Amino acid sequence: MSAALLADMLRIRRMEEKCAELYGQGKIRGFLHLYIGEEAVAAGAMRALEKGDNVVATYREHGHALLRGVSMDAIMAEMYGKQEGCSRGRGGSMHLFDAATRFYGGNAIVAGGLPLAAGLALAAKLRQESRVTACFFGEGAVAEGAFHESMNLAQLWGLPVAYFCENNLYAMGTALARSESQTDLCVKAASYGMATLKVDGMDVVAVHEAAQRACGHVRAGKGPIFVEFQTYRFRAHSMFDPELYREKSEVEEWKKRGPIHTYSARLKAQKQLTEERFLELDAAAQAEVEKAVAFAEAGTWEPAEHLTVDLYTPA
Ligand SMILES: Cc1ncc(C[n+]2csc(CCOP(=O)(O)OP(=O)(O)O)c2C)c(N)n1
Ligand SMILES: [Mg+2]
């Protein structure tokens, strides 16, 4: 498990560093929100899930899609807008989707995934299917009505959903305390009677253990749970963000807690990892990225005649 968690985080990191580069070259266009710095959350949480579980995420979802099992090739092709992408090139970075792995997206609307997750969980409950629906979202979502409506119904109906809140302290340029009178997010969920956990989201092992507990709670039929992962994004909100709302020194302080180097240092100290093995894992991640870029480059654009395909109104 230990090397696997590290490999997972490296795969996300290398893929997204390449995405930033490709964005600079105009190969990837539109919005692009990088998860760099927050990898421990997706890595630790995803390995607590089973094949039959559902996953719902936000527009910062490249890593979640990848670790859920969507191929890096299909993700990169989607970033390029090519037909071989997981959403046939029509979604782009914010709308990765893959029914086969029960990855229900990518959602550009803040808090948009929470009611969807409640719906997926309701479907599982009514059909008596034993699945957890894991819903990832940022702390900015707690300002939305959809958050409160979802918390209420999920708890009232005892839905099998794990709400995984990625609290990276900022919603675009708005620090949590500038928009919320109650900054303890677990208190908000608890006010609906929901079970809660608060976890160091920079520590992949702590994340994994908490996610296992959370999923165990849901699988045991105890209803929903809310987990706050305290994390931090190292990059700008999106590719259009001058970052005037935080001090560079704050970013540097958090980088010291970076999930990849702290975890690899811990494994090395425990003699569970050598530098050679680390470099092997890193090289494998980079090779996977190069292959995915080649796949996306070789992909096909949708012909212009398809412009009205899948539209609800007749052309
Ligand atoms: C309903 C809605 N309002 C506003 C926006 C614009 N918007 C995009 S991202 C974002 C910040 C969300 O922050 P958070 O939920 O903390 O997620 P993070 O970006 O930090 O991962 C906002 C306000 C939106 N996409 N949807
Ligand atoms: Mg945030």
Side-chain angles (χ1 to χ4, degrees):
M1 171 65 78
S2 48
L5 288 171
L6 184 59
D8 286 349
M9 294 193 287
L10 281 167
R11 288 176 72 217
I12 301 177
R13 179 69 60 96
R14 297 302 178 217
M15 175 177 75
E16 288 206 320
E17 284 170 346
K18 178 58 85 176
C19 288
E21 193 184 313
L22 292 165
Y23 199 91
Q25 295 168 12
K27 300 270 187 181
I28 297 176
R29 297 159 68 183
F31 284 104
L32 184 73
H33 306 85
L34 301 178
Y35 193 56
I36 289 175
E38 303 185 38
E39 295 94 339
V41 179
M46 216 58 79
R47 281 193 182 266
L49 297 181
E50 293 175 1
K51 216 165 171 240
D53 294 339
N54 300 318
V55 178
V56 176
T58 71
Y59 47 82
R60 204 179 293 288
E61 88 287 26
H62 314 143
H64 307 75
L66 182 70
L67 300 190
R68 185 55 191 169
V70 185
S71 76
M72 200 184 288
D73 288 0
I75 292 173
M76 199 59 87
E78 189 59 42
M79 300 281 197
Y80 269 65
K82 299 284 182 83
Q83 285 192 90
E84 291 77 6
C86 57
S87 305
R88 290 184 286 137
R90 289 186 161 209
S93 154
M94 298 200 287
H95 303 104
L96 304 177
F97 187 96
D98 182 52
T101 54
R102 308 191 80 87
F103 184 75
Y104 287 92
N107 197 316
I109 306 303
V110 172
L114 282 88
L116 290 179
L120 285 163
L122 176 62
K125 190 176 165 104
L126 292 175
R127 291 175 180 156
Q128 298 183 317
E129 294 168 348
S130 130
R131 347 177 166 274
V132 173
T133 296
C135 179
F136 295 86
F137 57 100
E139 87 296 339
V142 306
E144 297 287 341
F147 168 84
H148 298 276
E149 293 160 14
S150 302
M151 292 292 112
N152 179 55
L153 275 190
Q155 183 64 27
L156 184 67
W157 293 345
L159 301 181
V161 53
Y163 282 113
F164 289 152
C165 180
E166 305 180 311
N167 180 5
N168 62 10
L169 305 178
Y170 296 95
M172 297 183 86
T174 305
L176 188 63
R178 286 180 70 99
S179 65
E180 297 301 299
S181 58
Q182 173 54 266
T183 54
D184 185 335
L185 306 179
C186 288
V187 170
K188 288 180 186 285
S191 76
Y192 294 96
M194 200 177 289
T196 65
L197 288 172
K198 195 187 289 282
V199 188
D200 177 0
M202 302 305 272
D203 177 345
V204 71
V205 175
V207 169
H208 183 60
E209 287 171 0
Q212 278 184 313
R213 271 181 67 192
C215 291
H217 173 97
V218 176
R219 284 188 220 290
K222 295 179 182 168
I225 189 163
F226 174 92
V227 188
E228 176 190 345
F229 295 106
Q230 296 179 320
T231 183
Y232 199 81
R233 68 172 152 71
F234 294 168
R235 300 281 184 111
H237 166 77
S238 71
M239 303 312 272
F240 312 98
D241 172 12
E243 290 186 76
L244 301 176
Y245 49 86
R246 62 183 186 180
E247 299 293 335
K248 285 199 169 55
S249 57
E250 179 185 292
V251 182
E252 292 312 310
E253 274 309 302
W254 276 88
K255 279 187 178 170
K256 290 181 191 160
R257 297 175 53 196
I260 295 179
H261 76 83
T262 55
Y263 187 51
S264 50
R266 196 198 310 180
L267 289 178
K268 283 178 188 169
Q270 293 168 347
K271 305 269 182 256
Q272 289 186 54
L273 180 76
T274 60
E275 180 62 13
E276 291 69 39
R277 180 75 184 123
F278 176 84
L279 293 174
E280 269 172 32
L281 294 174
D282 198 22
Q286 292 187 43
E288 188 181 5
V289 172
E290 291 312 318
K291 181 177 149 295
V293 172
F295 180 83
E297 287 281 342
T300 38
W301 300 112
E302 192 166 2
E305 307 82 75
H306 284 193
L307 199 60
T308 56
V309 171
D310 294 337
L311 293 186
Y312 290 106
T313 49

